[in-house]
């Protein structure tokens, strides 16, 4: 799992580097953003498990699509930290990692104030933070992350901005296993709601 996370970070940094380099040869504008926030848990629907509140950290790189001042595309790396009840006698500390492709639209509504909407999707991996009875709870294979986010950003300078966002995310399409044995009779689906704040950097060459 550490190796997968390491490769995901390397991949995102390469994508950010590529998009920054692309800006020097086109009219597109690159924005790199880091966000952290509170995640509200949810019940497991028809299943008996329950996702508790947690935290989320996101790093993303977006660039304006050529000949457009509103549409943008990019990549993101996300880490979700939460816990799940009713899978075992104790609460199971749980992590979810995802590498996503993003797209969205933004508009200026006042001086230095932007509104933004984003849709993102990509592979994710979910597993327990610790071993329980000698093994980790984890999805059998990479699962799917799909998210929708709306937010606002205030531009402090031409390069720096403060942002806040609200997002709904869906993880899952694979069964949760423990020591190679399925522990749920249906695929694991979680739908956390996030409230995030962050900072962005837009280079001006």
């Amino acid at each position: 799992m550490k190796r997968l996370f390491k490769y995901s970070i390397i991949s995102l940094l390469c994508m950010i580097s590529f998009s920054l380099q692309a800006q020097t040869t086109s009219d597109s504008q690159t924005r790199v953003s880091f966000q952290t926030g509170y995640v509200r848990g949810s019940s497991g629907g028809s299943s008996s498990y329950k996702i508790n509140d947690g935290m989320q950290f996101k790093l993303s790189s977006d660039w304006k699509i050529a000949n457009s001042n509103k549409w943008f595309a990019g990549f993101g790396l996300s880490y979700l930290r939460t816990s799940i009840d009713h899978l075992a006698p104790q609460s199971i500390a749980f992590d979810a990692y995802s590498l996503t492709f993003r797209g969205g639209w933004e508009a200026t509504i006042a001086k230095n104030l932007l509104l933004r909407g984003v849709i993102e999707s990509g592979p994710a991996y979910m597993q327990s933070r610790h071993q329980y009875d000698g093994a980790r709870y984890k999805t059998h294979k990479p699962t799917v992350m799909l998210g929708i986010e709306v937010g606002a950003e205030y531009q402090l300078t031409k390069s720096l901005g403060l942002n806040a966002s609200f997002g709904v995310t869906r993880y899952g399409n694979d069964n949760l296993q423990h020591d190679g044995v399925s522990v749920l009779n249906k695929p694991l689906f979680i739908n956390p709601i996030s409230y995030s704040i962050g900072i962005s950097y837009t280079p001006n060459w």
Side-chain angles (χ1 to χ4, degrees):
M1 184 58 234
K2 291 182 179 179
R3 182 176 298 178
L4 175 63
F5 188 55
K6 175 182 175 181
Y7 288 160
S8 296
I9 292 177
I10 292 173
S11 298
L12 181 65
L13 292 178
C14 289
M15 294 170 190
I16 292 174
S17 177
F18 174 79
S19 61
L20 290 175
Q21 180 63 31
Q23 183 177 336
T24 66
T25 58
S26 70
D27 294 330
S28 63
Q29 188 179 57
T30 300
R31 177 179 59 248
V32 178
S33 179
F34 175 77
Q35 287 187 313
T36 182
Y38 163 77
V39 173
R40 193 177 75 191
S42 63
S43 65
S46 59
S47 302
S48 58
Y49 64 89
K50 177 181 180 295
I51 306 300
N52 295 312
D53 295 352
M55 295 187 66
Q56 186 176 53
F57 302 91
K58 298 181 69 175
L59 176 65
S60 62
S61 176
D62 301 316
W63 63 91
K64 294 286 182 66
I65 296 175
N67 301 320
S68 171
N69 292 322
K70 296 182 178 180
W71 297 95
F72 60 88
F75 303 93
L77 182 67
S78 175
Y79 166 59
L80 170 66
R81 183 183 181 99
T82 184
S83 61
I84 302 179
D85 290 340
H86 310 313
L87 289 178
Q90 71 273 44
S91 179
I92 304 297
F94 225 77
D95 297 326
Y97 308 84
S98 60
L99 178 64
T100 63
F101 301 93
R102 298 158 44 90
W105 176 87
E106 68 180 19
T108 302
I109 60 170
K111 184 179 180 180
N112 299 330
L113 183 61
L114 301 174
L115 285 184
R116 183 175 299 126
V118 181
I119 296 177
E120 58 184 338
S121 182
Y125 188 86
M126 304 169 67
Q127 73 167 17
S128 61
R129 196 168 309 128
H130 314 291
Q131 290 191 354
Y132 299 87
D133 297 324
R136 294 181 187 270
Y137 288 87
K138 59 184 179 181
T139 49
H140 176 62
K141 56 186 177 182
T143 186
V144 175
M145 179 272 207
L146 176 64
I148 299 176
E149 180 181 287
V150 294
E153 178 164 310
Y154 182 77
Q155 295 177 304
L156 299 172
T157 68
K158 290 182 178 180
S159 297
L160 294 177
L162 295 178
N163 54 65
S165 64
F166 167 81
V168 179
T169 308
R170 179 182 178 90
Y171 291 86
N173 70 345
D174 190 36
N175 213 324
L176 187 67
Q177 297 192 343
H178 181 257
D179 200 17
V181 179
S182 295
V183 297
L184 296 172
N185 58 6
K186 294 182 177 180
L188 174 65
F189 288 102
I190 63 174
N191 297 279
I193 295 173
S194 61
Y195 305 87
S196 302
I197 57 173
I199 188 168
S200 67
Y201 172 65
T202 303
N204 290 286
W205 305 105

